[in-house]
Amino acid sequence: MIKKSHIPKLDDFLDGGIPEGTSVLFCAYPGIGSETFGYQILNGRLQEGDKGFIFTNVAEPSSIIYEFNKYGWDLEKNIDEENVFFVDGSSYFIGSPVMGKYSIENYSQIKEVVKKAINDVPSGVGVINNLSTLVDYLGVEETLETIHEWNEFAKLNKTVLIYIFTKWDYEEQFIDEIKSSVDCLVNVNTIEDRVIIGQGFMVVSSSWTTPSNEMALFFIIQPGGVRIYIPKILVTGPHNAGKSTFVKAISKKSVSVDRKALGKFKTTIAMDIGHMEYKGFVADVFGTPGQERFDLILDVLAKEAVGAFILVDSTLPETFARAKEMISKCKAEAIPKIIVANKTDLPGALTTEKIREIMKLGSDIPIVPASAREKIGINEAMDAFLALLYRD
Amino acid sequence: MRLCVESGVPGFDDLGYSDLGCGIPENTVTLIYGPPKTGKSIFSHQFAYHGLLNGESCLCILTDYGINELKQNMMGFGWFLETQIQNDMFYVIDAISRLTGDVFPDSNTYKLTSLNDPADMMVKVGIGTRFVLKRSDDFRSVFDSLTTSLAFNPDKLVIRFYRAYMHRLKEARGTAIVNYTEGVASDVVENAIKSVSDNIIRLDGEYLTIERMGGLKNIKAPYRITDKGVTVEKE
């Protein structure tokens, strides 16, 4: 029997939800809090009338109750009604009073105590927060053995186990073993450039369905929890670099707000809007106007953008300074970006090396040769962009 | 692009030119270690305050004392934080107050976390770096100290956290000071902490030794703690 995860989009990825008796690992890059996923699943299941528990070896139960309140979820009432309980593996170790149905005062007790907790919530859900802390207490081998035993026990009891895991700098082999110990792996990644500017989750493996390669970008709100959003991608660059054509080339659908300058050539006067869907990545695309008199729009368009394509006309190096100015005005220094060297098919087009040299760009910013009109290099540009976004 | 930042500690920047100039190499993490009560925290406060006076925001992680104690300690040297806090230039991640019960509500620039929850601390570091970078392109960070984290977490986890913190700080191109009290952890852990750090300075109560920083090695000078904070003197 499959039950909803109560995480938006995750149920679509998982073919309806999470089957009873299975284990799900949320594997988060340091800097992203993934415990909200576990808490939101638990809260949803409690509202459906199921029972559950939280094993914590990080925050104390009182802090978790406080967090739940901030999300607008009433954990205390469920504790009072004996729908949910804590396995407190935190308080004793920091000298606070222990709280919960079970408590841990010695790490050697963990395996058996959690098994008791699983036994108490048949067809329910248990949240294990945090598996990575457990590793450094128990060691790699004992942790793996413990997970296997819990998962086997949970399967018999039809209890879903949700593991919260922070991917610190462990050996790759250990990470692989942890990942293969569970029925379903959800990666929680950052989108960053200097700092974290976004976060997304993706189902990497699942024993009951074939995962898509789609990443859902999300933010966490209080109250509310995990919320999905469609990210915004900027396409910017100097006048006549080919931005509108590029927006059309990467979008399934697009519209332009433009007019014919001097009655002859179209020029964008407000923006191009497109919707990009490529290899599971979905985004709204905003193409900025290139002329300086419309620069006031750039700041508005730049808000909440998670990445940018900077278009330059490969045949016109005199416009590169303007391109750099637009990177700055769009605040694109602080988001992942690639340079699309457009019109590469035209005579006099500079090589990407020459463009990098003139624009004084670091090697970390990819430059992709392309011709938006001839649809050359479009997929390469999008691949380079996704590689940057996902930090492949 | 400048290569070093001024430490704000009188006499320190004159100790010698490293490969990178004088001061503390920019975009590095400097470990300050030594016995208790030798001025490590004061040095880091000077470093943070000097940056603030130059318009550089600061991300401060507190594990030994809360925000009130920090303000009081700094006030003793005439370093007033109120304006910087009001201007959102001073961002504090407080990992101790939950434990001591001296809790303030979260704000734009004040986030509570727990000492035994490095994953959450790292989340706050992520949010904090983004915040301070919006305030100023150059920023500093102070982590005072690793010592208490070691008391509440497995050693390995603290080192993992330290590496992740360093990575995040350096990606954001910040310059950081991290304090650690000598002798609290085993030699193995202490060596691991040192080997991870970019620069190492030791304070022993009488002498300040730059064990490693840029091209500098084993430079020793006497210092005193005066009403101006740590002051490095000429031999």
Side-chain angles (χ1 to χ4, degrees):
Chain A
M1 186 179 174
I2 285 189
K3 291 212 170 181
K4 280 184 187 170
S5 70
H6 300 274
I7 306 287
K9 200 76 186 165
L10 185 59
D11 290 337
D12 297 341
F13 292 168
L14 292 177
D15 208 14
I18 303 169
E20 56 189 14
T22 58
S23 52
V24 182
L25 177 81
F26 286 91
C27 179
Y29 191 79
I32 301 190
S34 60
E35 75 273 8
T36 310
F37 285 87
Y39 296 161
Q40 189 160 332
I41 292 170
L42 176 67
N43 181 63
R45 294 286 301 269
L46 290 175
Q47 285 183 348
E48 283 185 32
D50 292 323
K51 295 198 182 299
F53 72 87
I54 298 173
F55 165 77
T56 173
N57 55 4
V58 283
E60 310 85 81
S62 55
S63 297
I64 295 174
I65 291 170
Y66 179 69
E67 282 295 308
F68 266 73
N69 280 338
K70 286 209 284 189
Y71 288 119
W73 308 326
D74 193 346
L75 190 63
E76 222 161 4
K77 178 170 160 271
N78 276 295
I79 293 171
D80 291 343
E81 291 172 1
E82 298 185 348
N83 297 323
V84 67
F85 60 87
F86 279 104
V87 179
D88 183 358
S90 170
S91 304
Y92 177 81
F93 297 93
I94 58 167
S96 296
V98 292
M99 177 189 161
K101 186 170 179 180
Y102 301 106
S103 64
I104 307 280
E105 295 177 7
N106 185 322
Y107 262 75
S108 63
Q109 305 169 324
I110 283 180
K111 196 200 289 179
E112 293 309 316
V113 173
V114 171
K115 276 166 77 174
K116 275 188 203 165
I118 293 169
N119 198 44
D120 290 349
V121 292
S123 303
V125 60
V127 178
I128 310 291
N129 185 23
N130 182 294
L131 188 58
S132 36
T133 302
L134 204 62
V135 177
D136 283 320
Y137 275 111
L138 294 182
V140 168
E141 277 182 26
E142 199 178 337
T143 302
L144 289 168
E145 192 190 302
T146 303
I147 294 172
H148 285 297
E149 218 165 294
W150 286 347
N151 287 349
E152 285 303 312
F153 202 67
K155 195 159 284 176
L156 293 172
N157 212 45
K158 296 183 179 175
T159 306
V160 166
L161 288 183
I162 308 290
Y163 293 97
I164 307 302
F165 182 70
T166 306
K167 192 182 169 192
W168 302 105
D169 57 347
Y170 301 107
E171 301 272 333
E172 274 306 314
Q173 192 190 340
F174 168 64
I175 297 281
D176 291 342
E177 285 182 72
I178 284 273
K179 286 175 175 178
S180 61
S181 303
V182 292
D183 295 302
C184 174
L185 170 67
V186 181
N187 268 356
V188 188
N189 291 333
T190 56
I191 293 172
E192 54 182 82
D193 193 294
R194 283 186 78 176
V195 292
I196 297 170
I197 54 167
Q199 46 200 359
F201 68 83
M202 179 190 266
V203 176
V204 178
S205 64
S206 159
S207 64
W208 63 92
T209 182
T210 309
S212 74
N213 56 0
E214 193 174 333
M215 183 190 267
L217 272 76
F218 69 95
F219 47 78
I220 289 172
I221 55 169
Q222 291 177 326
V226 178
R227 289 286 182 271
I228 302 299
Y229 70 99
I230 304 288
K232 212 189 277 179
I233 303 295
L234 281 185
V235 175
T236 190
H239 177 54
N240 204 28
K243 297 180 294 298
S244 300
T245 316
F246 185 77
V247 171
K248 283 191 187 79
I250 63 170
S251 301
K252 278 194 154 184
K253 289 179 284 187
S254 71
V255 290
S256 292
V257 183
D258 52 26
R259 71 167 185 192
K260 285 183 179 173
L262 304 172
K264 214 172 177 187
F265 304 106
K266 275 187 179 177
T267 185
T268 303
I269 58 166
M271 66 180 98
D272 301 302
I273 304 168
H275 186 72
M276 167 185 170
E277 288 182 35
Y278 183 70
K279 293 187 177 174
F281 181 77
V282 179
D284 287 331
V285 184
F286 288 79
T288 74
Q291 295 178 55
E292 285 176 36
R293 60 199 172 115
F294 299 120
D295 277 3
L296 74 156
I297 299 175
L298 298 183
D299 195 40
V300 179
L301 292 179
K303 277 185 186 143
E304 293 171 22
V306 298
F309 291 99
I310 317 292
L311 268 282
V312 294
D313 182 336
S314 307
T315 67
L316 290 176
E318 60 271 27
T319 63
F320 293 178
R322 169 70 179 152
K324 288 206 84 164
E325 185 192 18
M326 293 189 78
I327 291 175
S328 167
K329 287 195 168 166
C330 284
K331 297 188 176 69
E333 295 108 330
I335 54 177
K337 61 196 154 294
I338 68 162
I339 309 291
V340 179
N342 198 21
K343 307 190 189 181
T344 191
D345 55 325
L346 297 186
L350 299 177
T351 62
T352 53
E353 291 78 16
K354 194 70 191 166
I355 292 169
R356 186 180 301 283
E357 186 189 323
I358 296 173
M359 290 185 76
K360 294 188 178 67
L361 294 170
S363 56
D364 54 327
I365 301 176
I367 304 180
V368 181
S371 167
R373 180 165 294 170
E374 301 301 324
K375 301 251 186 324
I376 297 168
I378 304 302
N379 284 354
E380 287 78 359
M382 290 197 284
D383 283 335
F385 181 74
L386 290 192
L388 207 61
L389 216 57
Y390 296 169
R391 288 177 294 123
D392 284 354
Chain B
M1 184 186 151
R2 56 187 188 161
L3 296 172
C4 280
V5 301
E6 292 172 2
S7 65
V9 174
F12 179 82
D13 297 352
D14 303 326
L15 278 180
Y17 284 82
S18 71
D19 295 347
L20 306 170
C22 71
I24 294 177
E26 185 167 44
N27 197 207
T28 60
V29 176
T30 301
L31 178 75
I32 300 190
Y33 81 107
K37 302 284 173 198
T38 50
K40 300 182 292 296
S41 294
I42 299 170
F43 190 113
S44 61
H45 298 162
Q46 272 170 285
F47 169 78
Y49 192 69
H50 191 72
L52 289 168
L53 292 182
N54 288 335
E56 295 171 31
S57 51
C58 183
L59 171 69
C60 187
I61 305 174
L62 301 176
T63 67
D64 292 1
Y65 46 83
I67 180 75
N68 272 350
E69 201 178 329
L70 171 76
K71 283 195 234 175
Q72 279 164 15
N73 289 346
M74 290 182 73
M75 228 185 286
F77 294 99
W79 307 327
F80 296 96
L81 284 176
E82 283 306 332
T83 310
Q84 320 296 343
I85 291 172
Q86 276 169 18
N87 293 340
D88 287 350
M89 294 293 280
F90 193 68
Y91 189 101
V92 174
I93 299 169
D94 182 342
I96 189 76
S97 293
R98 259 187 198 156
L99 209 57
T100 58
D102 190 17
V103 174
F104 296 92
D106 275 9
S107 73
N108 270 352
T109 54
Y110 178 78
K111 304 287 174 198
L112 279 167
T113 184
S114 297
L115 264 170
N116 61 333
D117 194 352
D120 186 61
M121 274 172 84
M122 206 53 227
V123 170
K124 304 286 161 51
V125 170
I127 299 166
T129 46
R130 188 175 182 188
F131 189 92
V132 293
L133 198 63
K134 276 188 181 165
R135 304 300 302 164
S136 63
D137 202 45
D138 296 313
F139 75 93
R140 300 184 181 204
S141 178
V142 165
F143 182 178
D144 194 18
S145 68
L146 268 180
T147 319
T148 322
S149 303
L150 284 160
F152 287 89
N153 296 284
D155 298 343
K156 278 186 189 169
L157 186 56
V158 175
I159 294 167
R160 293 187 204 288
F161 170 81
Y162 184 33
R163 283 208 196 96
Y165 163 78
M166 285 184 67
H167 172 76
R168 176 64 48 220
L169 257 289
K170 290 168 82 168
E171 280 281 301
R173 294 180 213 142
T175 307
I177 284 185
V178 176
N179 294 332
Y180 164 70
T181 304
E182 190 176 28
V184 167
S186 66
D187 288 351
V188 175
V189 174
E190 209 159 286
N191 287 337
I193 291 169
K194 285 184 193 171
S195 71
V196 168
S197 308
D198 296 313
N199 313 310
I200 305 172
I201 297 171
R202 183 169 186 269
L203 300 181
D204 68 6
E206 279 184 66
Y207 287 93
L208 176 151
T209 308
I210 298 175
E211 295 188 357
R212 184 176 79 216
M213 191 172 79
L216 298 178
K217 263 189 179 171
N218 299 324
I219 296 204
K220 198 169 179 180
Y223 73 95
R224 282 189 306 138
I225 297 171
T226 69
D227 57 356
K228 291 190 177 68
V230 173
T231 306
V232 178
E233 299 173 330
K234 287 183 180 162
E235 283 262 44

